[in-house]
Amino acid sequence: MSLTVERTSPTTLTITRRFKAPPERVFAAHVEPELIQRWCYGFEGWRMPVCINDARPGGDLRWEWANDEGAGFHVTGTYEVVEPPRDGQPGRIVHVERMHLPDPTPDNHIETTFAPDGDGTLLTVVMRVDSPEAMEAMIATGMTDGMEVTYARIDSLEREAA
């Protein structure tokens, strides 16, 4: 169930991944702070000590990561659309975020869909930034490697729930 990454335009990145869990569970893992902290902490040696996630239109998010060596960074953002999957229909989250490394990056406009896929979920994340240079800088962080490591933990959460 590995991640696929495609640069669909100079300023757009499309990421897909299949999960064994149903869309409702994958969606919950993206909106419930206690679940986010259990999977979205990056590589081993990192943790997410702060997860403020007000997943509603107009709600804010602030996620903070730290490692054992004292390094850290955070992301802030605002939700525009939060639609849980219902009655076999895909769920959708639209939000704008910026990373603070420590200076803030340009806004990243993200649309995430949670579509039924057999017994599981097809997750599609479309990220849009304002310039090709911003996209290059974002890709250069190695974020997609970290995304696969973290997304694999969602599958583990589902096994725990079963």
Side-chain angles (χ1 to χ4, degrees):
M1 309 260 174
S2 64
L3 193 77
T4 62
V5 179
E6 181 182 1
R7 191 157 178 184
T8 49
S9 84
T11 59
T12 305
L13 196 65
T14 300
I15 298 163
T16 58
R17 190 181 191 284
R18 287 182 166 67
F19 293 90
K20 294 178 184 173
E24 295 78 11
R25 295 282 303 150
V26 179
F27 182 87
H30 281 77
V31 297
E32 295 177 18
E34 60 280 357
L35 290 177
I36 294 167
Q37 286 180 292
R38 292 180 58 198
W39 69 269
C40 192
Y41 55 84
F43 293 105
E44 292 303 318
W46 285 83
R47 61 194 181 288
M48 181 187 275
V50 174
C51 181
I52 299 167
N53 201 66
D54 186 10
R56 62 177 176 81
D60 292 326
L61 66 90
R62 181 182 176 99
W63 299 357
E64 296 181 14
W65 292 270
N67 70 13
D68 298 336
E69 288 79 46
F73 63 97
H74 68 278
V75 64
T76 59
T78 304
Y79 287 97
E80 297 175 350
V81 176
V82 179
E83 299 170 345
R86 284 196 181 100
D87 302 321
Q89 296 301 308
R92 184 170 76 114
I93 296 173
V94 178
H95 74 286
V96 178
E97 70 178 33
R98 65 215 55 80
M99 299 197 78
H100 300 263
L101 302 167
D103 295 326
T105 61
D107 285 356
N108 183 4
H109 301 264
I110 302 170
E111 180 173 0
T112 305
T113 57
F114 306 81
D117 184 44
D119 291 340
T121 302
L122 174 62
L123 178 82
T124 303
V125 180
V126 179
M127 300 179 172
R128 292 181 180 89
V129 293
D130 291 336
S131 72
E133 295 78 18
M135 180 58 70
E136 289 297 329
M138 192 168 75
I139 292 169
T141 67
M143 71 160 191
T144 55
D145 294 334
M147 288 175 79
E148 175 52 29
V149 168
T150 59
Y151 281 154
R153 293 186 189 115
I154 292 176
D155 284 327
S156 296
L157 290 176
E158 184 59 19
R159 285 191 294 275
E160 291 172 18

